[in-house]
Structure formats: structure tokens, C-alpha cells
């Protein structure tokens, strides 16, 4: 019974970690898009 609980907790932890990394990836992607947009706007002004 303890093994089942331990495995269940491990699986939940791993899945939560995957979602966290997915969220971080989205945040980094949005930040990159913002930098690109700013660079393009600056280039157009020149």
C-alpha cells in the first residue's frame, strides 16, 4: 500500500512539474515576442 501511495505521489509531482515548465516556456516565449516587437518598432522609427 505504501508503494502505491509513493508512486502516486511521484507521478503527481512529475505531472505538476511538467505543467510548471510548460508555463515557464509560455512566459519566456511571450517575453521574447515583446522584445521582438519593441525591436521592430524601434527599427521602423529609424
Amino acid at each position: 500500500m505504501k508503494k502505491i501511495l509513493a508512486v502516486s505521489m511521484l507521478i503527481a509531482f512529475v505531472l505538476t512539474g511538467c505543467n510548471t515548465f510548460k508555463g515557464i516556456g509560455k512566459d519566456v516565449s511571450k517575453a521574447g515576442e515583446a522584445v521582438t516587437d519593441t525591436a521592430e518598432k524601434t527599427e521602423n522609427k529609424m
Side-chain angles (χ1 to χ4, degrees), residues 1 3 5-7 10-11 14-15 17-19 21-23 25-27 29-30 32-34 39 43 45:
M1 188 68 175
K3 284 186 180 181
L5 180 61
V7 170
L10 180 62
I11 290 171
V14 169
L15 292 176
C18 290
N19 288 334
F21 282 114
K22 212 180 265 189
K26 288 179 183 179
D27 290 343
S29 178
K30 285 187 180 187
E33 289 173 8
E43 184 179 6
K45 288 182 180 181

Side-chain angles (χ1 to χ4, degrees), residues 20-40:
T20 301
F21 282 114
K22 212 180 265 189
I24 291 171
K26 288 179 183 179
D27 290 343
V28 170
S29 178
K30 285 187 180 187
E33 289 173 8
V35 170
T36 300
D37 289 344
T38 302
E40 288 174 352

